[in-house]
Each structure stands twice: as structure tokens, then as C-alpha cells.
Amino acid sequence: MVALSRPSSSSSSSSSIKYDTIIFDLGDVLFTWSPSTKTSVSPKTLRSILQTTTWFQYEKGEISEEECYASVALEMALSPSEVRDAFQHARETLVSRPFMVDLIRQLKPGRKIYAMSNISTEDFDFLRTKSSDIDLFDHCFTSSAAGERKPNIGYFRHVLEQTGADPARTIFVDDKLDNVLAARSFGMTGILYDDFETVERHLRNLCFDAKARAEVFMRQNACKHLSYTSTGVTIHENFAQLLILEATHDPTLVNYTKYDGPFNFFRGEGELTTSAFPCDVDTTSIGITCSDHMSSEKRNEVMDAILQLRNADGIPQVYFDTSRPRIDPVVCVNVLTLFYKYGRGKQLKQCYEWVESVLRYRAFNEGTRYYEPPEAFLFFLSRLFLVAPDVHKRLGPIFAECCRERLGMKGDALALAMRVLCCNFAGIDASGDLMTLRSMQDIDGGWPDGWFYKYGSNGVLIANRGFTTALAINAIKGSGLRMKRPSSITNLKQAWNDTVVRIPYRLRATSYDAH
């Protein structure tokens, strides 16, 4: 487990902080050692010695090595020679962590890197002869030289005064909570070290550009952004591919099937369901609004077919198969987006009224039949607002209330990205959720699992890291800005131009595999 804390201030945000100083502990962070010395002193006793007042005095340079060994020998009913032998053997076990060394080398350009350790003069002299990795640091601060030890605040004040570091632009890494807490009390960003991979993720997220790293992830995995289920099965589907296309405007990143009629969720046979899976109005609505290949005549034929799928309540059913009478409010939102985009929204009055009721009474708060996060309903509703100004005028205030209510709620990366995007749209400050989203970015630059939709019959969840990452980039890019909202019905893609991520041309692939 790793705890991360950043200073909170109304005048700063995580996106604006440029960390130029990192302070690392040495023991159990950059170097490890073993208390099993194969001497008469047990590991438990050796560790107990390290927690004595006598040892603290030794680390601060107040007593000599001989005085320390003699005193703790008396406390532990040992001889001074036994204590000396034990610590001499312990020193010989000291080794650096190569993965930590490599990470520090990557972090160093453009930054000052310091060490701050509770360590005696004798132990530090041995360390310098044992490892050349100590040269990584611009300076090593030791308790014996400072006459103070962590977590005493005087030691931290000494280091800050000597380095001239700005605490607000400084990261402190240590394996002791007391030490991290003391650093945070000065306004530093504290990372409690336990698990290296999580520490690495936090350091990369704090020190390197999130958007640039994510764009590299998207490019490196072009045409491989496949969806997968909570049961560990990879599935080949069109839905996420189309949404990645809309979020990035880059067709070289995705594979999807082009249809001259209704779209199918799957790119081939159904997976984890019936092989002859029917086309659905959800994928169809997303497909037509995200791609430009269908003629207006064919598009209107498909929309006419959707109208024929309305049930007795006037709600379009999900599948182009009357033997599967399913409805879902998110699907209804996407159908409305299609119809409003092409000037036919008034034909779905009852569908609109149901969507309004779902929003007004927060019926989506636990997700829907096919969509896992409540934020999915709000996210797709913001797409509808982009092409339906009248709908936005009527529902916008309720939408904003719902966005505010979800601020700070627990959610995975996808839910947070959608939440931030919706808040940006509504002009609501979501900096806390944005900070959490930023902290979730993985080492490879992408964002982790975000359960998006699910099989309605069995509840198996589906995620797509590419889609989650594309939305996270847009959430970061739009931080502090409102999405462009048209004053009249416009092309959906144009409406998103000011908010979607653009993959730099130099990163683009040379082929497009759409079939």
C-alpha cells in the first residue's frame, strides 16, 4: 500500500504544479539490508536496538560508535563486541534496489534529487564505499551531520534551508509514516513507500506530463484497444471503437465494421452470448453519429426502423429483434442524440419525457441494465445537449445538480473521467476528482480498468482501457474549461472540436484497418 498526499490550496491545482525537487530516504527505499546476521544477536534484537534512545543519539552524532555499542549492549544484556559484530555483518548485507536507481535516473533531468537519512557518520561512510549509486544525489543530508533526525521538524527545516527548495514543488519519499507526515506539514507532497510499482506510478504521474504519456499509450496500442470482460475474456466489438474514434478523431487508432444499415455491437459473431447476435439501436446510434460513411437516405431508413421498435410506452427497444423487449435510459439518450442531430428529435417525445424523468428523479444513480457507472447516463446526456440546445436549456440545470451531487463520490477511472467531463460541460469545479483521476494513471501512460457496460442477462462487465484513456485525456485537457456548446444544431464532431484529444501527427500510424 502506498499513501499519496499533495498539499491542498485554493490557489493551486495538481495540473499546475511543476515539481523540481525530490527528497528520498535511503534505508528501505533506495537501499535494503537484512537483520539476519548469523551472529549471536537475533534479528528481533537488532531491530530493537535501532529504536532505542541511545541509537537515536548515535544517529544524531551526539555519542560515538563505541559509546553507542557499549550502552545498547548493557541495555540488551550483550557484550559490546557482539553488538559490533552484528552491525558489521548487517552492513555487509546492504544492497541498492536497481529498479529504484533506474527510476531516479529517469526523474533526475531538470530536477534536484536529494537524500535525507537517519544515519550515523560511520554507516554513511561505509555506504559511500559500498555503492556508487549514492552519486545519483545532488546532496545527501544525514542526521549525524545535521544533529537532527526524522521526524523532528528541525531536520526538515534544515534541509529546506540548505537546498532553498520550495515545499510546494517538492516531493518527499519515505517508508515511515511519521516522516512523511512531518514533510507534509511543511507543504511537501508526501509518498509513503511500501510497494515499488505504486510508488513509481505516483512519481511518474507527478513528474511527467499526463496527456503526453497517454497519447503515447494510445499510439503504441493503435488498433489493439480491445475490450475485455470481468471474467477475463477479450471481446471484439464495435461500440468502444466508435467512441474512441469520437473522442480522438483519429481513425488510425481503431478497428470497427462499417455498416450500410443497423450496426452490431460485435465485429463478428456474438461472444459470451448467442453467436447470431442481433443489431442494436445503441451501437447503431453511436455508429451513425460518430462516422460519416452512411448516405442520408440509408440513415433515414435506419431511423424509421428505430421508430418501429417503440413499445407501447413510446420507448425504443434496444434490439432490432422484437423477441428481445429490452429498454435502457442510456440507450434512449443515444437514440435521441441521433434523432436530434438530424432534425427528427420531436418524433421521440415519449422517449425524451422518460429520459427527463430518469434524470430528474436520479433513477440512474445505481447504473442501468447495460451501463455500470451512473456517470455514463450523464456523459451521454452531455452529448445530446451538444446537438439539442433546447433540450440543454430545459434539462441543463437538473444535469448540473446531478453533477454536483456526484462530486467526490467513489469511482473508477472511467467514472471519474466522465464525471469531470460532465462537470466541465456544466461549468462546475471538479478539481478534486480530476486530481484523483490523474493519480490513477498507470506506468504505461494509460488508465486502468473502468467498467463501462455489461451483459444485461448475466451482469458480466466490460471495460476498454483505450476508451477510458481517451476520455481521461479529454478530461485533463478540458480542466478549467467548458466544452463548446452550439447555439443551434450542428455537426456533433465539430461541437467536440475544442475538447477532444488530438494525437500529434508525428505519432500517427500509416494504415487504417476498418472493415
PDB file of all heavy atoms in Angstrom, residues 180-193:
ATOM      1  N   VAL A 180       6.842  11.003   6.698  1.00  0.00           N
ATOM      2  CA  VAL A 180       6.044  11.558   5.606  1.00  0.00           C
ATOM      3  C   VAL A 180       5.098  12.628   6.138  1.00  0.00           C
ATOM      4  O   VAL A 180       4.916  13.692   5.522  1.00  0.00           O
ATOM      5  CB  VAL A 180       5.265  10.436   4.880  1.00  0.00           C
ATOM      6  CG1 VAL A 180       4.301  11.016   3.856  1.00  0.00           C
ATOM      7  CG2 VAL A 180       6.237   9.479   4.203  1.00  0.00           C
ATOM      8  N   LEU A 181       4.510  12.354   7.295  1.00  0.00           N
ATOM      9  CA  LEU A 181       3.602  13.332   7.897  1.00  0.00           C
ATOM     10  C   LEU A 181       4.338  14.636   8.190  1.00  0.00           C
ATOM     11  O   LEU A 181       3.820  15.733   7.926  1.00  0.00           O
ATOM     12  CB  LEU A 181       3.009  12.754   9.186  1.00  0.00           C
ATOM     13  CG  LEU A 181       1.922  13.573   9.874  1.00  0.00           C
ATOM     14  CD1 LEU A 181       0.971  12.643  10.632  1.00  0.00           C
ATOM     15  CD2 LEU A 181       2.500  14.616  10.841  1.00  0.00           C
ATOM     16  N   ALA A 182       5.552  14.534   8.730  1.00  0.00           N
ATOM     17  CA  ALA A 182       6.321  15.739   9.031  1.00  0.00           C
ATOM     18  C   ALA A 182       6.610  16.526   7.756  1.00  0.00           C
ATOM     19  O   ALA A 182       6.511  17.767   7.735  1.00  0.00           O
ATOM     20  CB  ALA A 182       7.628  15.363   9.729  1.00  0.00           C
ATOM     21  N   ALA A 183       6.961  15.820   6.679  1.00  0.00           N
ATOM     22  CA  ALA A 183       7.222  16.503   5.406  1.00  0.00           C
ATOM     23  C   ALA A 183       5.965  17.192   4.899  1.00  0.00           C
ATOM     24  O   ALA A 183       6.004  18.339   4.425  1.00  0.00           O
ATOM     25  CB  ALA A 183       7.734  15.501   4.380  1.00  0.00           C
ATOM     26  N   ARG A 184       4.833  16.515   4.995  1.00  0.00           N
ATOM     27  CA  ARG A 184       3.572  17.115   4.538  1.00  0.00           C
ATOM     28  C   ARG A 184       3.236  18.364   5.339  1.00  0.00           C
ATOM     29  O   ARG A 184       2.620  19.311   4.816  1.00  0.00           O
ATOM     30  CB  ARG A 184       2.444  16.099   4.659  1.00  0.00           C
ATOM     31  CG  ARG A 184       2.525  14.948   3.678  1.00  0.00           C
ATOM     32  CD  ARG A 184       1.494  13.883   4.003  1.00  0.00           C
ATOM     33  NE  ARG A 184       1.563  12.757   3.074  1.00  0.00           N
ATOM     34  CZ  ARG A 184       0.961  11.590   3.279  1.00  0.00           C
ATOM     35  NH1 ARG A 184       0.252  11.400   4.391  1.00  0.00           N
ATOM     36  NH2 ARG A 184       1.067  10.617   2.392  1.00  0.00           N
ATOM     37  N   SER A 185       3.624  18.387   6.612  1.00  0.00           N
ATOM     38  CA  SER A 185       3.313  19.544   7.444  1.00  0.00           C
ATOM     39  C   SER A 185       4.045  20.801   6.974  1.00  0.00           C
ATOM     40  O   SER A 185       3.691  21.912   7.362  1.00  0.00           O
ATOM     41  CB  SER A 185       3.650  19.256   8.912  1.00  0.00           C
ATOM     42  OG  SER A 185       5.048  19.253   9.145  1.00  0.00           O
ATOM     43  N   PHE A 186       5.062  20.635   6.153  1.00  0.00           N
ATOM     44  CA  PHE A 186       5.758  21.771   5.559  1.00  0.00           C
ATOM     45  C   PHE A 186       5.169  22.155   4.194  1.00  0.00           C
ATOM     46  O   PHE A 186       5.600  23.118   3.576  1.00  0.00           O
ATOM     47  CB  PHE A 186       7.248  21.453   5.374  1.00  0.00           C
ATOM     48  CG  PHE A 186       8.058  21.595   6.632  1.00  0.00           C
ATOM     49  CD1 PHE A 186       8.161  20.549   7.523  1.00  0.00           C
ATOM     50  CD2 PHE A 186       8.710  22.784   6.925  1.00  0.00           C
ATOM     51  CE1 PHE A 186       8.908  20.675   8.690  1.00  0.00           C
ATOM     52  CE2 PHE A 186       9.455  22.923   8.089  1.00  0.00           C
ATOM     53  CZ  PHE A 186       9.556  21.867   8.981  1.00  0.00           C
ATOM     54  N   GLY A 187       4.201  21.381   3.713  1.00  0.00           N
ATOM     55  CA  GLY A 187       3.601  21.656   2.415  1.00  0.00           C
ATOM     56  C   GLY A 187       4.169  20.817   1.289  1.00  0.00           C
ATOM     57  O   GLY A 187       3.833  21.029   0.124  1.00  0.00           O
ATOM     58  N   MET A 188       5.031  19.858   1.621  1.00  0.00           N
ATOM     59  CA  MET A 188       5.563  18.970   0.585  1.00  0.00           C
ATOM     60  C   MET A 188       4.518  17.924   0.202  1.00  0.00           C
ATOM     61  O   MET A 188       3.599  17.625   0.961  1.00  0.00           O
ATOM     62  CB  MET A 188       6.824  18.250   1.076  1.00  0.00           C
ATOM     63  CG  MET A 188       7.993  19.137   1.387  1.00  0.00           C
ATOM     64  SD  MET A 188       9.451  18.137   1.825  1.00  0.00           S
ATOM     65  CE  MET A 188      10.004  18.990   3.295  1.00  0.00           C
ATOM     66  N   THR A 189       4.678  17.352  -0.980  1.00  0.00           N
ATOM     67  CA  THR A 189       3.870  16.210  -1.406  1.00  0.00           C
ATOM     68  C   THR A 189       4.545  14.952  -0.890  1.00  0.00           C
ATOM     69  O   THR A 189       5.699  14.679  -1.213  1.00  0.00           O
ATOM     70  CB  THR A 189       3.757  16.159  -2.938  1.00  0.00           C
ATOM     71  OG1 THR A 189       3.010  17.284  -3.386  1.00  0.00           O
ATOM     72  CG2 THR A 189       3.060  14.881  -3.386  1.00  0.00           C
ATOM     73  N   GLY A 190       3.852  14.192  -0.068  1.00  0.00           N
ATOM     74  CA  GLY A 190       4.449  13.032   0.580  1.00  0.00           C
ATOM     75  C   GLY A 190       4.000  11.725  -0.026  1.00  0.00           C
ATOM     76  O   GLY A 190       2.817  11.531  -0.308  1.00  0.00           O
ATOM     77  N   ILE A 191       4.937  10.827  -0.243  1.00  0.00           N
ATOM     78  CA  ILE A 191       4.643   9.476  -0.725  1.00  0.00           C
ATOM     79  C   ILE A 191       5.179   8.494   0.300  1.00  0.00           C
ATOM     80  O   ILE A 191       6.378   8.482   0.600  1.00  0.00           O
ATOM     81  CB  ILE A 191       5.279   9.200  -2.094  1.00  0.00           C
ATOM     82  CG1 ILE A 191       4.748  10.162  -3.145  1.00  0.00           C
ATOM     83  CG2 ILE A 191       5.018   7.754  -2.518  1.00  0.00           C
ATOM     84  CD1 ILE A 191       5.369   9.985  -4.519  1.00  0.00           C
ATOM     85  N   LEU A 192       4.292   7.682   0.857  1.00  0.00           N
ATOM     86  CA  LEU A 192       4.688   6.648   1.809  1.00  0.00           C
ATOM     87  C   LEU A 192       5.067   5.391   1.045  1.00  0.00           C
ATOM     88  O   LEU A 192       4.238   4.780   0.386  1.00  0.00           O
ATOM     89  CB  LEU A 192       3.548   6.358   2.780  1.00  0.00           C
ATOM     90  CG  LEU A 192       3.813   5.309   3.861  1.00  0.00           C
ATOM     91  CD1 LEU A 192       4.962   5.746   4.772  1.00  0.00           C
ATOM     92  CD2 LEU A 192       2.545   5.062   4.679  1.00  0.00           C
ATOM     93  N   TYR A 193       6.328   5.012   1.117  1.00  0.00           N
ATOM     94  CA  TYR A 193       6.847   3.901   0.314  1.00  0.00           C
ATOM     95  C   TYR A 193       6.527   2.568   0.977  1.00  0.00           C
ATOM     96  O   TYR A 193       6.812   2.338   2.131  1.00  0.00           O
ATOM     97  CB  TYR A 193       8.366   4.041   0.172  1.00  0.00           C
ATOM     98  CG  TYR A 193       8.993   3.038  -0.785  1.00  0.00           C
ATOM     99  CD1 TYR A 193       9.506   3.450  -2.002  1.00  0.00           C
ATOM    100  CD2 TYR A 193       9.071   1.678  -0.476  1.00  0.00           C
ATOM    101  CE1 TYR A 193      10.079   2.545  -2.886  1.00  0.00           C
ATOM    102  CE2 TYR A 193       9.623   0.770  -1.344  1.00  0.00           C
ATOM    103  CZ  TYR A 193      10.126   1.210  -2.536  1.00  0.00           C
ATOM    104  OH  TYR A 193      10.678   0.301  -3.408  1.00  0.00           O
TER     105      TYR A 193
END
